[in-house]
Amino acid sequence: MRDLVYPPVVAFAKTAFKVLDLKIRRTGTEHVPPTGGALIAINHISYVDFILGGYGALPAKRLVRFMAKEVLFRNRISGPLMRGMHHIPVDRDAGAASYQQALEYLAAGELVGVFPEATISRSFELKEFKSGTVRMAAEAGVPVLPMILWGTQRMFTKDHPRDFTRHRPISISIGAPITVTRDDDPAEATAHLRSTMAGMLDETIRAYPEQPAGAWWLPAAYGGSAPTPEEARRLDAEELARRAAKRQ
């Protein structure tokens, strides 16, 4: 797959990281295979997760093809970039095409990035996972690499203004590959993936260098003032209702 757009975008991102003096800590990068297809399952807490998620694979000299909302491919600015980097548009009303494209990428030996929660978590804890990740891995015969991001929510997330303050710590943790076969029950495999990532998230939060009590970006379970998972579900439902009313 020819990449004329991706390398300059990576170079621009690295420059931005230096300008912001982000304190990025990457662990588990040895789990990213140097060749061959694999799915990278990432928690979703920010609008910039795909940028930092892709950065986690760079030590292995790999580029990640992300499954992303189709609307990003229609935007006059992001559209050419998304297509040029060979990301995968996802239309939630017609998901078969994106699923098939992802399988083709995996068969061709690409890394495909997915967000099993589908949408950003307002609580910054893990939401329920969709089963598509493990079903895709089983069908393609590739491993799932769990990845946890932390600190990205402080930059740009739902319900809060953008804040690109300098010197901010960012954590990127990659776990050991998880094998899923066609014989595995998708629900059980999804629960195992979520449980693994929940443990990784807990470790990542506890190891994060900043833990200010009452911080809006810290989960309530860790002494922060972020919405609880129950409150986040209510906010998500209200958001969906507003969108439905707007479409009508």
Side-chain angles (χ1 to χ4, degrees):
M1 188 176 293
R2 295 185 64 192
D3 280 299
L4 300 178
V5 176
Y6 219 141
V9 170
V10 170
F12 176 81
K14 286 183 175 180
T15 300
F17 296 164
K18 288 183 179 179
V19 170
L20 293 173
D21 191 28
L22 295 182
K23 307 301 182 183
I24 301 176
R25 179 174 181 265
R26 292 180 290 198
T27 59
T29 55
E30 70 277 6
H31 295 307
V32 180
T35 60
L39 271 171
I40 300 183
I42 310 170
N43 66 316
H44 206 2
I45 54 176
S46 164
Y47 291 113
V48 297
D49 287 341
F50 69 97
I51 300 175
L52 276 302
Y55 189 70
L58 286 184
K61 299 181 179 179
R62 302 295 304 272
L63 299 175
V64 183
R65 318 297 175 177
F66 283 94
M67 301 186 75
K69 292 180 180 179
E70 187 270 339
V71 66
L72 294 174
F73 294 76
R74 290 188 278 112
N75 183 279
R76 64 184 182 86
I77 297 175
S78 63
L81 294 175
M82 298 295 284
R83 291 189 295 273
M85 290 185 281
H86 305 291
H87 293 316
I88 303 169
V90 177
D91 184 344
R92 291 178 182 169
D93 295 326
S98 58
Y99 186 91
Q100 185 58 42
Q101 185 177 355
L103 288 177
E104 292 171 1
Y105 276 22
L106 292 168
E110 297 286 344
L111 294 182
V112 174
V114 295
F115 297 101
E117 299 164 278
T119 58
I120 289 175
S121 169
R122 284 181 159 98
S123 71
F124 309 126
E125 297 185 59
L126 296 183
K127 302 172 67 172
E128 292 303 311
F129 279 18
K130 307 296 183 182
S131 65
T133 300
V134 299
R135 289 189 291 105
M136 193 184 305
E139 188 168 346
V142 300
V144 179
L145 298 177
M147 178 186 287
I148 291 295
L149 303 177
W150 193 250
T152 58
Q153 76 275 29
R154 301 176 65 184
M155 300 169 71
F156 188 17
T157 192
K158 285 186 175 183
D159 307 327
H160 296 277
R162 304 176 192 180
D163 182 3
F164 294 100
T165 300
R166 300 182 72 238
H167 318 304
R168 182 157 286 159
I170 300 291
S171 297
I172 304 172
S173 304
I174 305 171
I178 296 173
T179 300
V180 186
T181 71
R182 293 174 184 267
D183 294 330
D184 291 330
D185 178 80
E188 292 181 1
T190 299
H192 174 64
L193 174 62
R194 187 180 184 280
S195 175
T196 299
M197 292 180 66
M200 291 173 59
L201 178 60
D202 178 68
E203 292 179 2
T204 302
I205 293 175
R206 294 183 186 281
Y208 193 69
E210 298 179 13
Q211 305 280 344
W216 67 262
W217 48 267
L218 196 61
Y222 294 82
S225 59
T228 64
E230 294 74 22
E231 292 169 338
R233 282 193 289 270
R234 176 180 58 79
L235 292 171
D236 288 346
E238 291 174 355
E239 180 183 19
L240 288 174
R242 287 194 299 271
R243 288 181 180 179
K246 187 176 181 180
R247 285 195 298 268
Q248 293 175 356

